[in-house]
Amino acid sequence: MRNFKIIIALIVFLFVVESIAQNTQLNSYSFGEGYNFNNDNGSTVKLQGYIQPGFEVRGYSNGTTDAETRFRMRRLRLRLSGKSANERFSYRLQVDLAGQNEVETENSNYLLDAFITYAITNRIKVTFGQRATQTDNRELFMNSNSLQLIERSRLTSAFASIREFGLFLDGRFRTGGGSQLKSYFVLTNGDGANVFSGDRGGLKVGGRLDFLPFGLFTNFGQFRQADVVRERTPKLVVGVHLSQNNGMSSRRGRDSGAIVYLDANNNDALPDYTKYGVDFLFKYKGFSALGEFIKSTASVPGNITQRVRNDGSTSSTFLVNGTQDIENYVRGRMMLGEAYNIQMGYLFRNGISIDGRYTHLIADEHSFLNNATFYNRPNYYTIGVSKYLSRSYGAKIQASYTYVDANDGINDLNSNPITGNESLVRVMLTLAF
């Protein structure tokens, strides 16, 4: 698998080099949508990018823990994409130089997307490489610079695998009366992004079905949150997704080799992880609404006898509440449970948007969702206001306030016990070209 990833990255790079070496000329530019170039051979190239600097303040209602303030470059992304002259082949190469991943955590791997797509027909395409997977919840494969609120919901950070390497097949079919059906099939390594070594377990297989009863959204609006184009007729997409990760060595399939179990012969003995959900997106005349539900389950093999510690040593101890319990110990380190997220907002003609969101997490009895430092917080309430500085996603200023309703027994980010609830204020500027 490592060789496949290196090969696909080199192929995408060669596509880019070949494209820009063909007497490339600027064809058009649209603020926030990027530069479009044409080549003598008929192929096209598109260059896009954006920056998102911001700051946040996290406070605690107990009155004894100091507020935590953070300034940072949230995203700094560059994307090159293009098509061959006959438009059968296309590619994308995207990097993020900010060192952050899609759910706020530090990330030293700057490569986001590297894939090649071949159009088998006008309605069926096959993609090979690394990209966002359609087996995650809908919010995850929406462009980051088009988000209604500053950050994605806690449902996304809890359950999404974000990006994966593998084979992606998608089709689009007319179903009568202007409606459309989109289908996706995904076969990946199931280990997340940028896994060039330590690829463990089996493959991940999954799929998604999306139904659009009123036809396609305007200007790729299915993959963007705020209704900047102000859809003239109602647009709706309803989807279902399912995936099975066979032999997972992390909490949710995002970081291969992070959590490893062995059998008596020192061979990998890894749990399987199943995830499914339903979601929708609706837009009409500046109003938008997004709803998502997701649930995960696990199957723990009965031949586990050891676990691998962070330092590489092994242990046969699996204590849960002072009792040896292998199955529930394994479950306690995985993201198991369910969640739903509902958000909506309205973008006025003057460029001001008012938005709100409610996210609810329901942890299984044995699940990492009960972790006191990062989770054990069932309710998230967020309100936000944005000012779009252009009639596009090119520039905007956003502010949001989130109130976190926590269970008893939580810690701050430094693992210090705290009481009460949390609040979070964020401000961010987005500037795209």
Side-chain angles (χ1 to χ4, degrees):
M1 184 65 73
R2 175 181 179 181
N3 291 334
F4 273 123
K5 294 173 184 175
I6 294 174
I7 290 171
I8 199 68
L10 288 174
I11 291 175
V12 173
F13 177 74
L14 290 175
F15 261 95
V16 174
V17 172
E18 192 272 340
S19 296
I20 63 178
Q22 298 291 328
N23 193 21
T24 303
Q25 297 181 342
L26 178 63
N27 178 54
S28 64
Y29 170 69
S30 177
F31 182 57
E33 300 291 340
Y35 294 88
N36 294 284
F37 300 89
N38 288 339
N39 299 317
D40 285 347
N41 64 1
S43 61
T44 61
V45 182
K46 187 170 188 175
L47 174 63
Q48 299 169 277
Y50 60 92
I51 61 172
Q52 290 184 316
F55 78 91
E56 61 186 50
V57 179
R58 185 185 301 269
Y60 303 94
S61 62
N62 61 358
T64 60
T65 304
D66 294 335
E68 301 166 348
T69 304
R70 177 167 60 167
F71 294 83
R72 60 174 174 164
M73 179 62 70
R74 179 62 181 92
R75 299 179 182 93
L76 198 169
R77 295 189 175 177
L78 294 173
R79 176 193 292 183
L80 267 174
S81 56
K83 292 183 178 181
S84 62
N86 62 9
E87 296 192 352
R88 288 293 186 187
F89 282 100
S90 59
Y91 64 87
R92 178 188 295 176
L93 179 65
Q94 182 175 207
V95 296
D96 190 334
L97 305 180
Q100 303 283 323
N101 69 20
E102 197 51 51
V103 288
E104 301 187 73
T105 56
E106 302 294 330
N107 186 7
S108 60
N109 294 311
Y110 300 104
L111 179 65
L112 298 181
D113 298 321
F115 61 80
I116 295 174
T117 298
Y118 178 71
I120 301 173
T121 70
N122 290 335
R123 297 188 175 276
I124 300 175
K125 299 185 297 183
V126 60
T127 298
F128 185 65
Q130 179 172 294
R131 58 161 298 165
T133 174
Q134 294 91 350
T135 56
D136 276 334
N137 55 297
R138 182 168 303 281
E139 184 188 43
L140 198 278
F141 52 94
M142 291 179 170
N143 293 340
S144 302
N145 61 326
S146 73
L147 299 180
Q148 285 179 303
L149 295 156
I150 292 177
E151 290 294 350
R152 301 181 190 273
S153 74
R154 200 59 169 155
L155 180 152
T156 294
S157 62
F159 292 97
S161 56
I162 306 179
R163 281 177 169 83
E164 297 180 23
F165 185 94
L167 186 71
F168 306 83
L169 183 67
D170 63 272
R172 177 166 58 90
F173 309 96
R174 293 190 180 96
T175 51
S179 63
Q180 299 264 350
L181 180 67
K182 290 188 174 184
S183 60
Y184 304 89
F185 172 78
V186 176
L187 180 65
T188 70
N189 62 344
D191 293 319
N194 301 314
V195 181
F196 292 100
S197 63
D199 190 350
R200 295 179 178 270
L203 297 176
K204 177 180 178 180
V205 60
R208 167 182 280 273
L209 281 176
D210 281 349
F211 180 59
L212 296 89
F214 311 126
L216 299 177
F217 289 67
T218 304
N219 194 25
F220 303 103
Q222 181 182 343
F223 307 102
R224 298 171 170 181
Q225 282 191 6
D227 186 18
V228 170
V229 301
R230 302 186 66 84
E231 296 282 0
R232 295 184 179 181
T233 60
K235 297 296 182 181
L236 172 68
V237 55
V238 180
V240 296
H241 61 91
L242 169 68
S243 63
Q244 169 80 15
N245 195 335
N246 299 290
M248 189 176 71
S249 59
S250 60
R251 301 197 192 283
R252 60 177 79 70
R254 191 187 293 171
D255 186 15
S256 177
I259 303 175
V260 178
Y261 304 100
L262 306 174
D263 62 18
N265 297 317
N266 292 324
N267 297 317
D268 286 356
L270 303 174
D272 297 334
Y273 187 72
T274 302
K275 184 172 64 177
Y276 57 90
V278 297
D279 45 46
F280 76 88
L281 174 68
F282 175 81
K283 291 184 177 183
Y284 181 52
K285 292 186 176 180
F287 174 79
S288 57
L290 171 70
E292 302 167 299
F293 170 81
I294 199 166
K295 183 173 178 60
S296 64
T297 62
S299 176
V300 180
N303 61 337
I304 295 177
T305 61
Q306 308 168 72
R307 57 183 174 88
V308 180
R309 298 189 179 102
N310 292 336
D311 61 4
S313 63
T314 61
S315 172
S316 59
T317 302
F318 296 82
L319 296 181
V320 177
N321 297 324
T323 303
Q324 181 81 348
D325 188 342
I326 294 178
E327 178 171 350
N328 287 327
Y329 181 93
V330 173
R331 291 180 178 277
R333 302 177 76 188
M334 303 172 69
M335 306 302 286
L336 297 176
E338 59 189 71
Y340 57 83
N341 175 61
I342 182 72
Q343 64 187 64
M344 59 187 65
Y346 183 77
L347 177 58
F348 295 88
R349 293 185 181 274
N350 61 4
I352 294 178
S353 178
I354 305 297
D355 308 286
R357 175 168 68 203
Y358 171 62
T359 304
H360 182 56
L361 304 182
I362 305 172
D364 284 358
E365 180 182 0
H366 300 282
S367 168
F368 193 75
L369 285 172
N370 296 310
N371 179 271
T373 299
F374 301 105
Y375 292 97
N376 201 27
R377 297 154 170 85
N379 298 303
Y380 296 79
Y381 308 86
T382 302
I383 57 173
V385 60
S386 302
K387 170 60 178 176
Y388 289 77
L389 305 178
S390 66
R391 297 178 63 88
S392 70
Y393 299 101
K396 60 181 176 179
I397 298 174
Q398 294 177 282
S400 68
Y401 171 79
T402 299
Y403 179 80
V404 183
D405 182 16
N407 287 330
D408 293 336
I410 64 170
N411 301 330
D412 63 19
L413 295 179
N414 296 314
S415 299
N416 299 313
I418 57 175
T419 59
N421 299 313
E422 298 173 303
S423 59
L424 185 62
V425 175
R426 292 186 174 107
V427 178
M428 178 180 288
L429 167 68
T430 297
L431 184 62
F433 66 82

